[in-house]
Amino acid sequence: MITLGPVQIMNHAPWHFLVASVLLVLFFVATFSDNQDLKTKLRKIMHVVFVFTVLTGCYVWTLVNFSLPLLIKSIGGFALFWVMIQLTKNRSNKLYWGLFVLIAAVGLTLAFVYI
């Protein structure tokens, strides 16, 4: 665990944090690649990695007490993944980029501060 004042990064979920980070890397490569075959393959891989992200997230549910921030972050994770897939299809959509930043900021804040 890394402590930065009141913020403890990866409080209960280092594996969840790492798998989600891999998912983000795949997302950025798929989003900014101009190779359509690569985009298609990476989207499929993203779905597989998302399953692992969900599984590690389910494990977090067994470690911490239920809370509204945990529920919001979990639902937001599904919404964020959907937005990420949409951005891999059309990276110039400003609405999706806005949603991506908003959902990610709320989720990370909840994860680092409250969960």
Side-chain angles (χ1 to χ4, degrees):
M1 173 177 11
I2 301 167
T3 303
L4 301 170
V7 177
Q8 297 177 345
I9 299 173
M10 299 188 290
N11 293 6
H12 302 286
W15 295 110
H16 182 66
F17 185 82
L18 293 172
V19 173
S21 296
V22 169
L23 183 60
L24 278 174
V25 169
L26 291 168
F27 160 70
F28 283 116
V29 173
T31 300
F32 294 107
S33 173
D34 290 326
N35 182 330
Q36 291 303 317
D37 290 335
L38 178 62
K39 280 180 173 287
T40 302
K41 289 177 187 174
L42 288 176
R43 270 195 295 271
K44 289 178 184 176
I45 295 170
M46 284 175 63
H47 281 87
V48 172
V49 173
F50 183 66
V51 169
F52 286 106
T53 306
V54 170
L55 290 174
T56 58
C58 289
Y59 178 65
V60 172
W61 277 72
T62 68
L63 297 176
V64 299
N65 293 327
F66 174 80
S67 65
L68 189 57
L70 180 64
L71 179 63
I72 292 168
K73 183 188 171 301
S74 299
I75 293 169
F78 285 95
L80 183 62
F81 182 69
W82 181 81
V83 169
M84 290 165 61
I85 291 299
Q86 300 313 307
L87 283 168
T88 62
K89 296 175 184 177
N90 179 8
R91 68 180 173 221
S92 63
N93 190 313
K94 292 178 184 176
L95 174 63
Y96 287 139
W97 278 113
L99 286 171
F100 175 81
V101 170
L102 179 66
I103 295 168
V106 169
L108 288 172
T109 299
L110 293 174
F112 290 163
V113 178
Y114 296 105
I115 300 172

